[in-house]
Amino acid sequence: MPRFSAAHILETVLATPIVPVFYHADAAYAQRIVQACYEGGLRVFEFTNRGSQAFEVFGQLMAFVQQNCPEMLLGIGTIYTAADADRFIAAGADFVVQPCITAEVAEVCRQHGTPWLPGTMTVREVYEATQLGAAIVKVFPGNVVGPGFIKSLRGPMPSVPLMVTGGVEPTRESLREWFGAGVNVVGMGSQLFKNDDPAALKTLLRDLLDSLSS
């Protein structure tokens, strides 16, 4: 049974709209990063399926989150197949993120009541994602399409929840540009983790969240 309802997950993502996108093969290191993000005010974390140890580390990370970061949503990213979606959901994934759209993954998420966040790059793909039941539509790679694409998309699709990943810098200026263009959520990967000092990461995240609230 899911830890949280789909409605609660969507509400949480939109309320704390910075999502770290992260992978590391060392579970202890991943736990330190998640803890720093939690203490920095984040409540959503995407662990990516990008290495041979991903499933094992995800399981350890989920146990850690349940015990130490109880309000943190832990999702799995870089999912391509229904089989992978199914096994990570069985391991506790609160949501599933894709770099693209595959109907079979959408169906697995629908069956489990797990929010599905597919990756899109065109207006047609955004529309297709909404028709297949996306909770939030990911626009990726953001550094290729740019904020101008989001502004244009908001004309015909003003109410689709959008998350941009790729090209988002961990600065007030970058967040202002993307949220000003019309995104609801941003995902940040390597740019966010250039400095792996937990104290510095917490300070940075608190500053970025403060910039959104102000």
Side-chain angles (χ1 to χ4, degrees):
M1 183 175 179
R3 291 194 301 154
F4 305 105
S5 69
H8 172 82
I9 291 171
L10 180 59
E11 180 182 353
T12 301
V13 175
L14 296 177
T16 52
I18 296 175
V19 180
V21 179
F22 176 84
Y23 172 78
H24 202 281
D26 185 322
Y29 180 78
Q31 290 167 3
R32 288 196 297 273
I33 292 295
V34 170
Q35 184 74 55
C37 289
Y38 191 71
E39 293 177 4
L42 300 191
R43 292 298 179 265
V44 188
F45 195 97
E46 177 188 335
F47 187 77
T48 59
N49 181 30
R50 293 183 181 175
S52 60
Q53 300 300 311
F55 185 73
E56 179 183 347
V57 174
F58 182 84
Q60 296 178 59
L61 202 56
M62 178 56 73
F64 176 85
V65 164
Q66 291 176 345
Q67 182 172 355
N68 299 281
C69 311
E71 297 176 9
M72 179 70 90
L73 304 178
L74 181 62
I76 186 65
T78 319
I79 294 296
Y80 290 100
T81 68
D84 275 343
D86 203 44
R87 69 174 185 148
F88 276 101
I89 291 171
D94 293 311
F95 56 91
V96 171
V97 186
Q98 292 195 266
C100 58
I101 300 173
T102 56
E104 58 267 31
V105 171
E107 178 59 19
V108 168
C109 291
R110 187 194 65 77
Q111 291 174 0
H112 289 282
T114 302
W116 173 58
L117 289 70
T120 65
M121 196 179 175
T122 66
V123 175
R124 177 176 178 173
E125 289 177 345
V126 173
Y127 177 74
E128 180 183 356
T130 64
Q131 296 304 293
L132 289 173
I136 297 174
V137 178
K138 182 173 82 166
V139 176
F140 172 80
N143 57 306
V144 174
V145 299
F149 174 75
I150 303 297
K151 289 181 181 179
S152 298
L153 185 63
R154 278 311 187 198
M157 297 182 179
S159 60
V160 176
L162 296 175
M163 177 175 78
V164 67
T165 301
V168 182
E169 300 284 339
T171 66
R172 287 179 173 237
E173 294 75 20
S174 183
L175 294 187
R176 189 178 303 117
E177 183 177 28
W178 283 107
F179 282 98
V183 301
N184 303 98
V185 187
V186 296
M188 283 189 276
S190 59
Q191 295 292 336
L192 185 60
F193 303 109
K194 285 182 177 179
N195 185 341
D196 63 359
D197 173 42
L201 181 57
K202 284 188 287 186
T203 299
L204 172 61
L205 291 172
R206 287 170 180 161
D207 179 68
L208 293 177
L209 287 173
D210 180 67
S211 74
L212 294 179
S213 63
S214 60

mmCIF file with all atom_site columns, all heavy atoms in Angstrom, residues 22-37 45 47 57-58 60-61 64-65:
data_model
loop_
_atom_site.group_PDB
_atom_site.id
_atom_site.type_symbol
_atom_site.label_atom_id
_atom_site.label_alt_id
_atom_site.label_comp_id
_atom_site.label_asym_id
_atom_site.label_entity_id
_atom_site.label_seq_id
_atom_site.pdbx_PDB_ins_code
_atom_site.Cartn_x
_atom_site.Cartn_y
_atom_site.Cartn_z
_atom_site.occupancy
_atom_site.B_iso_or_equiv
_atom_site.pdbx_formal_charge
_atom_site.auth_seq_id
_atom_site.auth_comp_id
_atom_site.auth_asym_id
_atom_site.auth_atom_id
_atom_site.pdbx_PDB_model_num
ATOM 1   N N   . PHE A 1 22 ? 19.247 12.722 -8.576 1.00 0.00 ? 22 PHE A N   1
ATOM 2   C CA  . PHE A 1 22 ? 20.519 12.270 -8.008 1.00 0.00 ? 22 PHE A CA  1
ATOM 3   C C   . PHE A 1 22 ? 20.680 10.766 -8.125 1.00 0.00 ? 22 PHE A C   1
ATOM 4   O O   . PHE A 1 22 ? 19.729 10.009 -7.974 1.00 0.00 ? 22 PHE A O   1
ATOM 5   C CB  . PHE A 1 22 ? 20.549 12.679 -6.529 1.00 0.00 ? 22 PHE A CB  1
ATOM 6   C CG  . PHE A 1 22 ? 21.757 12.200 -5.769 1.00 0.00 ? 22 PHE A CG  1
ATOM 7   C CD1 . PHE A 1 22 ? 22.940 12.914 -5.806 1.00 0.00 ? 22 PHE A CD1 1
ATOM 8   C CD2 . PHE A 1 22 ? 21.687 11.049 -5.003 1.00 0.00 ? 22 PHE A CD2 1
ATOM 9   C CE1 . PHE A 1 22 ? 24.043 12.474 -5.087 1.00 0.00 ? 22 PHE A CE1 1
ATOM 10  C CE2 . PHE A 1 22 ? 22.795 10.602 -4.287 1.00 0.00 ? 22 PHE A CE2 1
ATOM 11  C CZ  . PHE A 1 22 ? 23.972 11.321 -4.328 1.00 0.00 ? 22 PHE A CZ  1
ATOM 12  N N   . TYR A 1 23 ? 21.924 10.346 -8.393 1.00 0.00 ? 23 TYR A N   1
ATOM 13  C CA  . TYR A 1 23 ? 22.295 8.925  -8.299 1.00 0.00 ? 23 TYR A CA  1
ATOM 14  C C   . TYR A 1 23 ? 23.687 8.803  -7.714 1.00 0.00 ? 23 TYR A C   1
ATOM 15  O O   . TYR A 1 23 ? 24.592 9.578  -8.055 1.00 0.00 ? 23 TYR A O   1
ATOM 16  C CB  . TYR A 1 23 ? 22.286 8.228  -9.671 1.00 0.00 ? 23 TYR A CB  1
ATOM 17  C CG  . TYR A 1 23 ? 22.858 6.817  -9.570 1.00 0.00 ? 23 TYR A CG  1
ATOM 18  C CD1 . TYR A 1 23 ? 22.090 5.794  -9.054 1.00 0.00 ? 23 TYR A CD1 1
ATOM 19  C CD2 . TYR A 1 23 ? 24.177 6.556  -9.929 1.00 0.00 ? 23 TYR A CD2 1
ATOM 20  C CE1 . TYR A 1 23 ? 22.618 4.516  -8.906 1.00 0.00 ? 23 TYR A CE1 1
ATOM 21  C CE2 . TYR A 1 23 ? 24.712 5.285  -9.782 1.00 0.00 ? 23 TYR A CE2 1
ATOM 22  C CZ  . TYR A 1 23 ? 23.926 4.263  -9.260 1.00 0.00 ? 23 TYR A CZ  1
ATOM 23  O OH  . TYR A 1 23 ? 24.458 3.019  -9.103 1.00 0.00 ? 23 TYR A OH  1
ATOM 24  N N   . HIS A 1 24 ? 23.856 7.823  -6.854 1.00 0.00 ? 24 HIS A N   1
ATOM 25  C CA  . HIS A 1 24 ? 25.184 7.440  -6.383 1.00 0.00 ? 24 HIS A CA  1
ATOM 26  C C   . HIS A 1 24 ? 25.134 5.986  -5.975 1.00 0.00 ? 24 HIS A C   1
ATOM 27  O O   . HIS A 1 24 ? 24.135 5.523  -5.413 1.00 0.00 ? 24 HIS A O   1
ATOM 28  C CB  . HIS A 1 24 ? 25.628 8.310  -5.208 1.00 0.00 ? 24 HIS A CB  1
ATOM 29  C CG  . HIS A 1 24 ? 27.110 8.335  -5.020 1.00 0.00 ? 24 HIS A CG  1
ATOM 30  N ND1 . HIS A 1 24 ? 27.797 7.304  -4.403 1.00 0.00 ? 24 HIS A ND1 1
ATOM 31  C CD2 . HIS A 1 24 ? 28.046 9.249  -5.375 1.00 0.00 ? 24 HIS A CD2 1
ATOM 32  C CE1 . HIS A 1 24 ? 29.084 7.589  -4.382 1.00 0.00 ? 24 HIS A CE1 1
ATOM 33  N NE2 . HIS A 1 24 ? 29.269 8.752  -4.965 1.00 0.00 ? 24 HIS A NE2 1
ATOM 34  N N   . ALA A 1 25 ? 26.188 5.259  -6.263 1.00 0.00 ? 25 ALA A N   1
ATOM 35  C CA  . ALA A 1 25 ? 26.228 3.833  -5.968 1.00 0.00 ? 25 ALA A CA  1
ATOM 36  C C   . ALA A 1 25 ? 26.510 3.539  -4.497 1.00 0.00 ? 25 ALA A C   1
ATOM 37  O O   . ALA A 1 25 ? 26.319 2.403  -4.050 1.00 0.00 ? 25 ALA A O   1
ATOM 38  C CB  . ALA A 1 25 ? 27.282 3.147  -6.839 1.00 0.00 ? 25 ALA A CB  1
ATOM 39  N N   . ASP A 1 26 ? 26.947 4.544  -3.744 1.00 0.00 ? 26 ASP A N   1
ATOM 40  C CA  . ASP A 1 26 ? 27.237 4.369  -2.321 1.00 0.00 ? 26 ASP A CA  1
ATOM 41  C C   . ASP A 1 26 ? 25.997 4.780  -1.523 1.00 0.00 ? 26 ASP A C   1
ATOM 42  O O   . ASP A 1 26 ? 25.632 5.957  -1.481 1.00 0.00 ? 26 ASP A O   1
ATOM 43  C CB  . ASP A 1 26 ? 28.439 5.235  -1.937 1.00 0.00 ? 26 ASP A CB  1
ATOM 44  C CG  . ASP A 1 26 ? 28.881 5.028  -0.498 1.00 0.00 ? 26 ASP A CG  1
ATOM 45  O OD1 . ASP A 1 26 ? 28.017 4.864  0.387  1.00 0.00 ? 26 ASP A OD1 1
ATOM 46  O OD2 . ASP A 1 26 ? 30.098 5.057  -0.234 1.00 0.00 ? 26 ASP A OD2 1
ATOM 47  N N   . ALA A 1 27 ? 25.364 3.804  -0.890 1.00 0.00 ? 27 ALA A N   1
ATOM 48  C CA  . ALA A 1 27 ? 24.112 4.078  -0.179 1.00 0.00 ? 27 ALA A CA  1
ATOM 49  C C   . ALA A 1 27 ? 24.318 5.057  0.975  1.00 0.00 ? 27 ALA A C   1
ATOM 50  O O   . ALA A 1 27 ? 23.475 5.927  1.213  1.00 0.00 ? 27 ALA A O   1
ATOM 51  C CB  . ALA A 1 27 ? 23.507 2.777  0.340  1.00 0.00 ? 27 ALA A CB  1
ATOM 52  N N   . ALA A 1 28 ? 25.416 4.938  1.692  1.00 0.00 ? 28 ALA A N   1
ATOM 53  C CA  . ALA A 1 28 ? 25.665 5.827  2.828  1.00 0.00 ? 28 ALA A CA  1
ATOM 54  C C   . ALA A 1 28 ? 25.814 7.272  2.355  1.00 0.00 ? 28 ALA A C   1
ATOM 55  O O   . ALA A 1 28 ? 25.310 8.205  2.998  1.00 0.00 ? 28 ALA A O   1
ATOM 56  C CB  . ALA A 1 28 ? 26.911 5.380  3.585  1.00 0.00 ? 28 ALA A CB  1
ATOM 57  N N   . TYR A 1 29 ? 26.493 7.459  1.238  1.00 0.00 ? 29 TYR A N   1
ATOM 58  C CA  . TYR A 1 29 ? 26.652 8.807  0.691  1.00 0.00 ? 29 TYR A CA  1
ATOM 59  C C   . TYR A 1 29 ? 25.302 9.349  0.235  1.00 0.00 ? 29 TYR A C   1
ATOM 60  O O   . TYR A 1 29 ? 24.958 10.508 0.500  1.00 0.00 ? 29 TYR A O   1
ATOM 61  C CB  . TYR A 1 29 ? 27.625 8.777  -0.480 1.00 0.00 ? 29 TYR A CB  1
ATOM 62  C CG  . TYR A 1 29 ? 27.858 10.132 -1.115 1.00 0.00 ? 29 TYR A CG  1
ATOM 63  C CD1 . TYR A 1 29 ? 28.692 11.061 -0.517 1.00 0.00 ? 29 TYR A CD1 1
ATOM 64  C CD2 . TYR A 1 29 ? 27.208 10.478 -2.300 1.00 0.00 ? 29 TYR A CD2 1
ATOM 65  C CE1 . TYR A 1 29 ? 28.895 12.319 -1.090 1.00 0.00 ? 29 TYR A CE1 1
ATOM 66  C CE2 . TYR A 1 29 ? 27.402 11.727 -2.875 1.00 0.00 ? 29 TYR A CE2 1
ATOM 67  C CZ  . TYR A 1 29 ? 28.247 12.627 -2.273 1.00 0.00 ? 29 TYR A CZ  1
ATOM 68  O OH  . TYR A 1 29 ? 28.426 13.875 -2.838 1.00 0.00 ? 29 TYR A OH  1
ATOM 69  N N   . ALA A 1 30 ? 24.513 8.516  -0.433 1.00 0.00 ? 30 ALA A N   1
ATOM 70  C CA  . ALA A 1 30 ? 23.185 8.939  -0.880 1.00 0.00 ? 30 ALA A CA  1
ATOM 71  C C   . ALA A 1 30 ? 22.318 9.333  0.310  1.00 0.00 ? 30 ALA A C   1
ATOM 72  O O   . ALA A 1 30 ? 21.561 10.311 0.247  1.00 0.00 ? 30 ALA A O   1
ATOM 73  C CB  . ALA A 1 30 ? 22.524 7.822  -1.686 1.00 0.00 ? 30 ALA A CB  1
ATOM 74  N N   . GLN A 1 31 ? 22.420 8.607  1.389  1.00 0.00 ? 31 GLN A N   1
ATOM 75  C CA  . GLN A 1 31 ? 21.657 8.924  2.591  1.00 0.00 ? 31 GLN A CA  1
ATOM 76  C C   . GLN A 1 31 ? 22.048 10.285 3.149  1.00 0.00 ? 31 GLN A C   1
ATOM 77  O O   . GLN A 1 31 ? 21.175 11.066 3.579  1.00 0.00 ? 31 GLN A O   1
ATOM 78  C CB  . GLN A 1 31 ? 21.861 7.835  3.644  1.00 0.00 ? 31 GLN A CB  1
ATOM 79  C CG  . GLN A 1 31 ? 21.194 6.517  3.283  1.00 0.00 ? 31 GLN A CG  1
ATOM 80  C CD  . GLN A 1 31 ? 21.652 5.364  4.164  1.00 0.00 ? 31 GLN A CD  1
ATOM 81  O OE1 . GLN A 1 31 ? 22.441 5.540  5.096  1.00 0.00 ? 31 GLN A OE1 1
ATOM 82  N NE2 . GLN A 1 31 ? 21.162 4.169  3.867  1.00 0.00 ? 31 GLN A NE2 1
ATOM 83  N N   . ARG A 1 32 ? 23.333 10.595 3.148  1.00 0.00 ? 32 ARG A N   1
ATOM 84  C CA  . ARG A 1 32 ? 23.780 11.902 3.645  1.00 0.00 ? 32 ARG A CA  1
ATOM 85  C C   . ARG A 1 32 ? 23.218 13.031 2.783  1.00 0.00 ? 32 ARG A C   1
ATOM 86  O O   . ARG A 1 32 ? 22.815 14.084 3.296  1.00 0.00 ? 32 ARG A O   1
ATOM 87  C CB  . ARG A 1 32 ? 25.314 11.972 3.672  1.00 0.00 ? 32 ARG A CB  1
ATOM 88  C CG  . ARG A 1 32 ? 25.954 11.124 4.758  1.00 0.00 ? 32 ARG A CG  1
ATOM 89  C CD  . ARG A 1 32 ? 27.400 11.513 5.001  1.00 0.00 ? 32 ARG A CD  1
ATOM 90  N NE  . ARG A 1 32 ? 28.250 11.295 3.836  1.00 0.00 ? 32 ARG A NE  1
ATOM 91  C CZ  . ARG A 1 32 ? 28.846 10.145 3.554  1.00 0.00 ? 32 ARG A CZ  1
ATOM 92  N NH1 . ARG A 1 32 ? 28.672 9.090  4.340  1.00 0.00 ? 32 ARG A NH1 1
ATOM 93  N NH2 . ARG A 1 32 ? 29.619 10.032 2.484  1.00 0.00 ? 32 ARG A NH2 1
ATOM 94  N N   . ILE A 1 33 ? 23.178 12.800 1.471  1.00 0.00 ? 33 ILE A N   1
ATOM 95  C CA  . ILE A 1 33 ? 22.639 13.825 0.568  1.00 0.00 ? 33 ILE A CA  1
ATOM 96  C C   . ILE A 1 33 ? 21.140 14.028 0.815  1.00 0.00 ? 33 ILE A C   1
ATOM 97  O O   . ILE A 1 33 ? 20.646 15.164 0.888  1.00 0.00 ? 33 ILE A O   1
ATOM 98  C CB  . ILE A 1 33 ? 22.899 13.436 -0.898 1.00 0.00 ? 33 ILE A CB  1
ATOM 99  C CG1 . ILE A 1 33 ? 24.415 13.493 -1.211 1.00 0.00 ? 33 ILE A CG1 1
ATOM 100 C CG2 . ILE A 1 33 ? 22.125 14.347 -1.847 1.00 0.00 ? 33 ILE A CG2 1
ATOM 101 C CD1 . ILE A 1 33 ? 25.020 14.870 -1.119 1.00 0.00 ? 33 ILE A CD1 1
ATOM 102 N N   . VAL A 1 34 ? 20.407 12.941 0.936  1.00 0.00 ? 34 VAL A N   1
ATOM 103 C CA  . VAL A 1 34 ? 18.970 13.042 1.186  1.00 0.00 ? 34 VAL A CA  1
ATOM 104 C C   . VAL A 1 34 ? 18.713 13.751 2.516  1.00 0.00 ? 34 VAL A C   1
ATOM 105 O O   . VAL A 1 34 ? 17.834 14.606 2.618  1.00 0.00 ? 34 VAL A O   1
ATOM 106 C CB  . VAL A 1 34 ? 18.311 11.645 1.170  1.00 0.00 ? 34 VAL A CB  1
ATOM 107 C CG1 . VAL A 1 34 ? 16.876 11.729 1.668  1.00 0.00 ? 34 VAL A CG1 1
ATOM 108 C CG2 . VAL A 1 34 ? 18.329 11.070 -0.239 1.00 0.00 ? 34 VAL A CG2 1
ATOM 109 N N   . GLN A 1 35 ? 19.476 13.403 3.534  1.00 0.00 ? 35 GLN A N   1
ATOM 110 C CA  . GLN A 1 35 ? 19.305 14.033 4.847  1.00 0.00 ? 35 GLN A CA  1
ATOM 111 C C   . GLN A 1 35 ? 19.557 15.532 4.765  1.00 0.00 ? 35 GLN A C   1
ATOM 112 O O   . GLN A 1 35 ? 18.808 16.333 5.341  1.00 0.00 ? 35 GLN A O   1
ATOM 113 C CB  . GLN A 1 35 ? 20.260 13.401 5.861  1.00 0.00 ? 35 GLN A CB  1
ATOM 114 C CG  . GLN A 1 35 ? 20.101 13.914 7.286  1.00 0.00 ? 35 GLN A CG  1
ATOM 115 C CD  . GLN A 1 35 ? 18.860 13.375 7.959  1.00 0.00 ? 35 GLN A CD  1
ATOM 116 O OE1 . GLN A 1 35 ? 18.676 12.159 8.011  1.00 0.00 ? 35 GLN A OE1 1
ATOM 117 N NE2 . GLN A 1 35 ? 18.020 14.244 8.493  1.00 0.00 ? 35 GLN A NE2 1
ATOM 118 N N   . ALA A 1 36 ? 20.595 15.930 4.036  1.00 0.00 ? 36 ALA A N   1
ATOM 119 C CA  . ALA A 1 36 ? 20.903 17.358 3.885  1.00 0.00 ? 36 ALA A CA  1
ATOM 120 C C   . ALA A 1 36 ? 19.774 18.076 3.154  1.00 0.00 ? 36 ALA A C   1
ATOM 121 O O   . ALA A 1 36 ? 19.392 19.194 3.515  1.00 0.00 ? 36 ALA A O   1
ATOM 122 C CB  . ALA A 1 36 ? 22.220 17.538 3.136  1.00 0.00 ? 36 ALA A CB  1
ATOM 123 N N   . CYS A 1 37 ? 19.231 17.435 2.122  1.00 0.00 ? 37 CYS A N   1
ATOM 124 C CA  . CYS A 1 37 ? 18.118 18.041 1.385  1.00 0.00 ? 37 CYS A CA  1
ATOM 125 C C   . CYS A 1 37 ? 16.893 18.185 2.279  1.00 0.00 ? 37 CYS A C   1
ATOM 126 O O   . CYS A 1 37 ? 16.187 19.206 2.234  1.00 0.00 ? 37 CYS A O   1
ATOM 127 C CB  . CYS A 1 37 ? 17.783 17.197 0.154  1.00 0.00 ? 37 CYS A CB  1
ATOM 128 S SG  . CYS A 1 37 ? 19.034 17.269 -1.157 1.00 0.00 ? 37 CYS A SG  1
ATOM 129 N N   . PHE A 1 45 ? 12.372 14.034 -3.546 1.00 0.00 ? 45 PHE A N   1
ATOM 130 C CA  . PHE A 1 45 ? 13.708 13.643 -4.000 1.00 0.00 ? 45 PHE A CA  1
ATOM 131 C C   . PHE A 1 45 ? 13.567 12.568 -5.068 1.00 0.00 ? 45 PHE A C   1
ATOM 132 O O   . PHE A 1 45 ? 12.861 11.579 -4.881 1.00 0.00 ? 45 PHE A O   1
ATOM 133 C CB  . PHE A 1 45 ? 14.518 13.094 -2.816 1.00 0.00 ? 45 PHE A CB  1
ATOM 134 C CG  . PHE A 1 45 ? 16.002 12.992 -3.060 1.00 0.00 ? 45 PHE A CG  1
ATOM 135 C CD1 . PHE A 1 45 ? 16.852 13.997 -2.618 1.00 0.00 ? 45 PHE A CD1 1
ATOM 136 C CD2 . PHE A 1 45 ? 16.534 11.893 -3.713 1.00 0.00 ? 45 PHE A CD2 1
ATOM 137 C CE1 . PHE A 1 45 ? 18.223 13.911 -2.828 1.00 0.00 ? 45 PHE A CE1 1
ATOM 138 C CE2 . PHE A 1 45 ? 17.902 11.805 -3.931 1.00 0.00 ? 45 PHE A CE2 1
ATOM 139 C CZ  . PHE A 1 45 ? 18.747 12.813 -3.485 1.00 0.00 ? 45 PHE A CZ  1
ATOM 140 N N   . PHE A 1 47 ? 15.565 9.792  -7.035 1.00 0.00 ? 47 PHE A N   1
ATOM 141 C CA  . PHE A 1 47 ? 16.759 8.963  -7.179 1.00 0.00 ? 47 PHE A CA  1
ATOM 142 C C   . PHE A 1 47 ? 16.682 8.307  -8.543 1.00 0.00 ? 47 PHE A C   1
ATOM 143 O O   . PHE A 1 47 ? 15.639 7.743  -8.912 1.00 0.00 ? 47 PHE A O   1
ATOM 144 C CB  . PHE A 1 47 ? 16.820 7.898  -6.087 1.00 0.00 ? 47 PHE A CB  1
ATOM 145 C CG  . PHE A 1 47 ? 18.100 7.110  -6.071 1.00 0.00 ? 47 PHE A CG  1
ATOM 146 C CD1 . PHE A 1 47 ? 19.254 7.662  -5.545 1.00 0.00 ? 47 PHE A CD1 1
ATOM 147 C CD2 . PHE A 1 47 ? 18.150 5.824  -6.590 1.00 0.00 ? 47 PHE A CD2 1
ATOM 148 C CE1 . PHE A 1 47 ? 20.443 6.941  -5.542 1.00 0.00 ? 47 PHE A CE1 1
ATOM 149 C CE2 . PHE A 1 47 ? 19.325 5.100  -6.587 1.00 0.00 ? 47 PHE A CE2 1
ATOM 150 C CZ  . PHE A 1 47 ? 20.480 5.664  -6.060 1.00 0.00 ? 47 PHE A CZ  1
ATOM 151 N N   . VAL A 1 57 ? 20.494 0.247  -3.906 1.00 0.00 ? 57 VAL A N   1
ATOM 152 C CA  . VAL A 1 57 ? 20.666 1.500  -3.167 1.00 0.00 ? 57 VAL A CA  1
ATOM 153 C C   . VAL A 1 57 ? 19.317 2.143  -2.889 1.00 0.00 ? 57 VAL A C   1
ATOM 154 O O   . VAL A 1 57 ? 19.084 2.680  -1.792 1.00 0.00 ? 57 VAL A O   1
ATOM 155 C CB  . VAL A 1 57 ? 21.580 2.472  -3.941 1.00 0.00 ? 57 VAL A CB  1
ATOM 156 C CG1 . VAL A 1 57 ? 21.651 3.831  -3.238 1.00 0.00 ? 57 VAL A CG1 1
ATOM 157 C CG2 . VAL A 1 57 ? 22.983 1.892  -4.062 1.00 0.00 ? 57 VAL A CG2 1
ATOM 158 N N   . PHE A 1 58 ? 18.420 2.077  -3.862 1.00 0.00 ? 58 PHE A N   1
ATOM 159 C CA  . PHE A 1 58 ? 17.090 2.662  -3.653 1.00 0.00 ? 58 PHE A CA  1
ATOM 160 C C   . PHE A 1 58 ? 16.388 2.013  -2.469 1.00 0.00 ? 58 PHE A C   1
ATOM 161 O O   . PHE A 1 58 ? 15.761 2.701  -1.650 1.00 0.00 ? 58 PHE A O   1
ATOM 162 C CB  . PHE A 1 58 ? 16.232 2.512  -4.911 1.00 0.00 ? 58 PHE A CB  1
ATOM 163 C CG  . PHE A 1 58 ? 14.870 3.128  -4.767 1.00 0.00 ? 58 PHE A CG  1
ATOM 164 C CD1 . PHE A 1 58 ? 14.681 4.489  -4.984 1.00 0.00 ? 58 PHE A CD1 1
ATOM 165 C CD2 . PHE A 1 58 ? 13.770 2.359  -4.393 1.00 0.00 ? 58 PHE A CD2 1
ATOM 166 C CE1 . PHE A 1 58 ? 13.421 5.073  -4.828 1.00 0.00 ? 58 PHE A CE1 1
ATOM 167 C CE2 . PHE A 1 58 ? 12.513 2.935  -4.237 1.00 0.00 ? 58 PHE A CE2 1
ATOM 168 C CZ  . PHE A 1 58 ? 12.342 4.293  -4.459 1.00 0.00 ? 58 PHE A CZ  1
ATOM 169 N N   . GLN A 1 60 ? 17.713 0.621  0.180  1.00 0.00 ? 60 GLN A N   1
ATOM 170 C CA  . GLN A 1 60 ? 18.336 1.103  1.414  1.00 0.00 ? 60 GLN A CA  1
ATOM 171 C C   . GLN A 1 60 ? 17.949 2.553  1.691  1.00 0.00 ? 60 GLN A C   1
ATOM 172 O O   . GLN A 1 60 ? 17.728 2.945  2.844  1.00 0.00 ? 60 GLN A O   1
ATOM 173 C CB  . GLN A 1 60 ? 19.857 0.973  1.315  1.00 0.00 ? 60 GLN A CB  1
ATOM 174 C CG  . GLN A 1 60 ? 20.345 -0.462 1.200  1.00 0.00 ? 60 GLN A CG  1
ATOM 175 C CD  . GLN A 1 60 ? 21.853 -0.547 1.060  1.00 0.00 ? 60 GLN A CD  1
ATOM 176 O OE1 . GLN A 1 60 ? 22.595 -0.095 1.914  1.00 0.00 ? 60 GLN A OE1 1
ATOM 177 N NE2 . GLN A 1 60 ? 22.310 -1.132 -0.035 1.00 0.00 ? 60 GLN A NE2 1
ATOM 178 N N   . LEU A 1 61 ? 17.853 3.326  0.632  1.00 0.00 ? 61 LEU A N   1
ATOM 179 C CA  . LEU A 1 61 ? 17.502 4.737  0.777  1.00 0.00 ? 61 LEU A CA  1
ATOM 180 C C   . LEU A 1 61 ? 16.055 4.885  1.241  1.00 0.00 ? 61 LEU A C   1
ATOM 181 O O   . LEU A 1 61 ? 15.741 5.743  2.075  1.00 0.00 ? 61 LEU A O   1
ATOM 182 C CB  . LEU A 1 61 ? 17.718 5.456  -0.558 1.00 0.00 ? 61 LEU A CB  1
ATOM 183 C CG  . LEU A 1 61 ? 17.907 6.970  -0.535 1.00 0.00 ? 61 LEU A CG  1
ATOM 184 C CD1 . LEU A 1 61 ? 19.054 7.366  0.374  1.00 0.00 ? 61 LEU A CD1 1
ATOM 185 C CD2 . LEU A 1 61 ? 18.150 7.477  -1.950 1.00 0.00 ? 61 LEU A CD2 1
ATOM 186 N N   . PHE A 1 64 ? 15.901 4.224  4.894  1.00 0.00 ? 64 PHE A N   1
ATOM 187 C CA  . PHE A 1 64 ? 16.472 5.370  5.606  1.00 0.00 ? 64 PHE A CA  1
ATOM 188 C C   . PHE A 1 64 ? 15.473 6.529  5.668  1.00 0.00 ? 64 PHE A C   1
ATOM 189 O O   . PHE A 1 64 ? 15.288 7.150  6.724  1.00 0.00 ? 64 PHE A O   1
ATOM 190 C CB  . PHE A 1 64 ? 17.754 5.817  4.903  1.00 0.00 ? 64 PHE A CB  1
ATOM 191 C CG  . PHE A 1 64 ? 18.367 7.057  5.498  1.00 0.00 ? 64 PHE A CG  1
ATOM 192 C CD1 . PHE A 1 64 ? 19.211 6.981  6.594  1.00 0.00 ? 64 PHE A CD1 1
ATOM 193 C CD2 . PHE A 1 64 ? 18.103 8.307  4.957  1.00 0.00 ? 64 PHE A CD2 1
ATOM 194 C CE1 . PHE A 1 64 ? 19.774 8.120  7.150  1.00 0.00 ? 64 PHE A CE1 1
ATOM 195 C CE2 . PHE A 1 64 ? 18.658 9.460  5.493  1.00 0.00 ? 64 PHE A CE2 1
ATOM 196 C CZ  . PHE A 1 64 ? 19.504 9.361  6.605  1.00 0.00 ? 64 PHE A CZ  1
ATOM 197 N N   . VAL A 1 65 ? 14.826 6.808  4.544  1.00 0.00 ? 65 VAL A N   1
ATOM 198 C CA  . VAL A 1 65 ? 13.871 7.916  4.489  1.00 0.00 ? 65 VAL A CA  1
ATOM 199 C C   . VAL A 1 65 ? 12.695 7.663  5.432  1.00 0.00 ? 65 VAL A C   1
ATOM 200 O O   . VAL A 1 65 ? 12.261 8.554  6.164  1.00 0.00 ? 65 VAL A O   1
ATOM 201 C CB  . VAL A 1 65 ? 13.379 8.114  3.039  1.00 0.00 ? 65 VAL A CB  1
ATOM 202 C CG1 . VAL A 1 65 ? 12.117 8.960  2.992  1.00 0.00 ? 65 VAL A CG1 1
ATOM 203 C CG2 . VAL A 1 65 ? 14.475 8.767  2.209  1.00 0.00 ? 65 VAL A CG2 1
#
